[in-house]
Amino acid sequence: MDVRYALYDNTRFPEHLPYARCGHLFTVPGDFPEGIPPYAHVTSQEMAVYRVNGDWEVRDVNGERRVWGTGRRRKDAVNAAFAVIARERRIRAARITDRRVQVLGLEAACPYQVEITGSITLICTPTAIAVLDRTETSGDGPARHHVHDVNGGDPYVIRADDSVTERTTTAGVLHNRCGCAPENAARFESETQALVYARHALTVCHPCPKTPAATEPAPAAGERPDGTPGENAGPCAQCGCLLIWDRTGRRVNDEFGEYICTRRSAGTKSNIHLLAVPEPAEQH
């Protein structure tokens, strides 16, 4: 593991604490070691490594201030500390997983995760729509929005006034037992909780392409052919809302651009919008 050190001097720690007057600081990430499930990650630990009695010693700074490793060389002490931390964190993760399954009756990992993948703020005026880069405020005049055109081009400035509005769009992905483990995702035990969070926290939410339900063939039911992008595709078989063919012409979303079916009833098959099977023609 690549360890980055920062020097510290005799002003870093009070004299009564068990650290040498000078040494080095480094950080153990909260997601160390690899393979620890996200729900078992911890806060990153700041560590100090310093010489004492001719050897090197590693002690944590923010927690118990315990010694995690020693060695003749700094590298040996740090490696020993990482080995102990890795072992203890793996044991802790295994206990958390066992408690989830054996005591709480949950799945080993949180099945639903909502990941924010990006956001963009638009500055809208009666004559233009631009992408916000930064806003510069002034005590003696209106704020200045530094923007660039949605299709590229040189940056320019829009002065804030009553005709100027801001709109932030946040996009994200719903993971449903897909094997992904995004680091900063919100995690939920039930689909209802995940969908409520996605509707309130995101402007647009797409199902992860690795989600089993999302990889099923057809958004079109039965033998219905693919459609023309932007055209009406009919009602959702699960929630009844009007659907539109997306830009690929192979999938459908609602009028807000969402693929997730948030208003479906309990017991329905998929968490994405599905087209209703066309009514068969009457035989005369």
Side-chain angles (χ1 to χ4, degrees):
M1 184 172 190
D2 183 24
V3 181
R4 298 186 178 184
Y5 299 98
L7 287 170
Y8 75 84
D9 58 22
N10 59 5
T11 63
R12 178 62 178 83
F13 299 107
E15 291 188 10
H16 68 279
L17 294 182
Y19 303 96
R21 304 309 297 155
C22 60
H24 302 83
L25 300 172
F26 66 95
T27 300
V28 180
D31 58 357
F32 172 83
E34 290 187 11
I36 296 294
Y39 58 80
H41 289 173
V42 298
T43 303
S44 296
Q45 287 180 280
E46 187 178 28
M47 315 289 285
V49 55
Y50 46 83
R51 292 188 69 88
V52 57
N53 298 326
D55 288 334
W56 288 88
E57 182 175 271
V58 176
R59 191 183 294 266
D60 66 278
V61 171
N62 301 323
E64 304 173 16
R65 301 185 183 131
R66 62 176 272 195
V67 174
W68 291 88
T70 59
R72 299 293 295 175
R73 299 180 301 170
R74 183 182 71 175
K75 179 180 179 181
D76 296 335
V78 171
N79 287 343
F82 271 104
V84 173
I85 292 170
R87 182 174 67 250
E88 293 194 4
R89 288 186 180 181
R90 288 192 179 102
I91 293 172
R92 175 181 176 273
R95 288 173 176 168
I96 292 174
T97 300
D98 185 67
R99 183 175 185 274
R100 285 177 57 83
V101 175
Q102 302 298 331
V103 179
L104 303 178
L106 302 173
E107 297 182 36
C110 296
Y112 302 98
Q113 304 169 88
V114 180
E115 176 189 14
I116 296 177
T117 55
S119 64
I120 186 173
T121 298
L122 300 178
I123 301 297
C124 306
T125 74
T127 58
I129 298 176
V131 179
L132 177 66
D133 294 323
R134 63 186 177 89
T135 297
E136 180 183 351
T137 58
S138 174
D140 55 358
R144 294 159 53 90
H145 300 299
H146 294 259
V147 301
H148 64 270
D149 190 75
V150 292
N151 295 318
D154 295 331
Y156 58 98
V157 173
I158 296 177
R159 292 181 178 273
D161 59 35
D162 292 340
S163 67
V164 176
T165 59
E166 296 184 27
R167 177 179 175 82
T168 298
T169 297
T170 304
V173 174
L174 173 64
H175 300 274
N176 177 359
R177 299 181 178 88
C178 56
C180 298
E183 177 62 29
N184 296 316
R187 295 175 173 82
F188 304 92
E189 303 298 340
S190 76
E191 186 179 30
T192 300
Q193 294 172 329
L195 294 177
V196 169
Y197 173 84
R199 176 162 289 277
H200 287 83
L202 304 175
T203 310
V204 178
C205 184
H206 302 281
C208 176
K210 297 181 181 179
T211 299
T215 57
E216 292 178 358
E223 298 300 323
R224 194 166 193 165
D226 294 346
T228 302
E231 287 191 354
N232 290 341
C236 174
Q238 301 181 129
C239 69
C241 74
L242 180 64
L243 301 177
I244 301 168
W245 292 104
D246 71 1
R247 61 183 178 83
T248 69
R250 299 184 61 81
R251 300 180 66 190
V252 288
N253 49 240
D254 61 24
E255 59 182 327
F256 301 105
E258 293 220 18
Y259 295 86
I260 305 297
C261 185
T262 57
R263 292 173 291 179
R264 64 193 182 91
S265 58
T268 48
K269 176 183 179 182
S270 175
N271 64 350
I272 62 174
H273 288 299
L274 294 176
L275 288 177
V277 178
E279 293 291 335
E282 294 186 7
Q283 301 293 327
H284 296 286

